[in-house]
Amino acid sequence: MPMQIKGELGTIYVTNEVIAVLAGSAALDCYGLVGMASRKQLKDGIAELLGRENLSRGVEVRVEQDQVHIDLHIVVSYGTKISEVAHNVQSKVKYILNEVVGLKVDFVHIIVQGVRVSR
């Protein structure tokens, strides 16, 4: 169900898919992130990295009573502090969705599905 944003000139409808792509793109700009991981189960203990064309597969968006909850499944770079990378991703995603779409994001949950050596 698309989210409704009421403005002076009318109503804007934003689908969860658009929110997911924006959140995934914002996350990829963060230092220490190798990429987004699939929400599916791990395959042989290894997280499947997603390309830019399927970012929304690593993001889950839930809208509950005008509150937006976002789950991001990520893979971090080896040698970075996981908690710092997760905090940076949370801040960036929240900022982008507030500024670009005008959504008030309540929660950005980070699920680290793997650590990889970035090349």
Side-chain angles (χ1 to χ4, degrees):
M1 181 170 121
M3 182 156 197
Q4 295 180 11
I5 303 171
K6 296 188 192 255
E8 298 173 5
L9 303 175
T11 305
I12 301 168
Y13 296 94
V14 181
T15 65
N16 287 354
E17 179 77 17
V18 171
I19 296 169
V21 170
L22 286 171
S25 296
L28 285 181
D29 288 341
C30 294
Y31 175 78
L33 192 74
V34 174
M36 302 297 292
S38 176
R39 291 181 297 197
K40 296 185 293 183
Q41 289 290 335
L42 299 176
K43 194 175 199 176
D44 297 329
I46 298 172
E48 176 191 352
L49 267 178
L50 300 172
R52 281 204 174 265
E53 62 278 353
N54 351 358
L55 285 178
S56 62
R57 285 181 42 209
V59 182
E60 186 177 345
V61 178
R62 292 182 315 281
V63 180
E64 301 169 1
Q65 302 169 359
D66 295 333
Q67 294 181 344
V68 180
H69 303 275
I70 297 177
D71 295 340
L72 289 161
H73 299 260
I74 64 171
V75 177
V76 297
S77 177
Y78 177 79
T80 59
K81 190 172 181 182
I82 294 173
S83 62
E84 197 63 35
V85 173
H87 182 266
N88 289 341
V89 170
Q90 286 174 324
S91 298
K92 177 84 173 195
V93 167
K94 224 172 169 179
Y95 174 79
I96 291 295
L97 289 177
N98 284 337
E99 293 300 313
V100 173
V101 183
L103 295 177
K104 183 185 179 305
V105 178
D106 293 315
F107 297 106
V108 178
H109 300 284
I110 305 295
I111 298 97
V112 179
Q113 286 195 314
V115 177
R116 296 232 175 120
V117 177
S118 58
R119 296 179 185 189

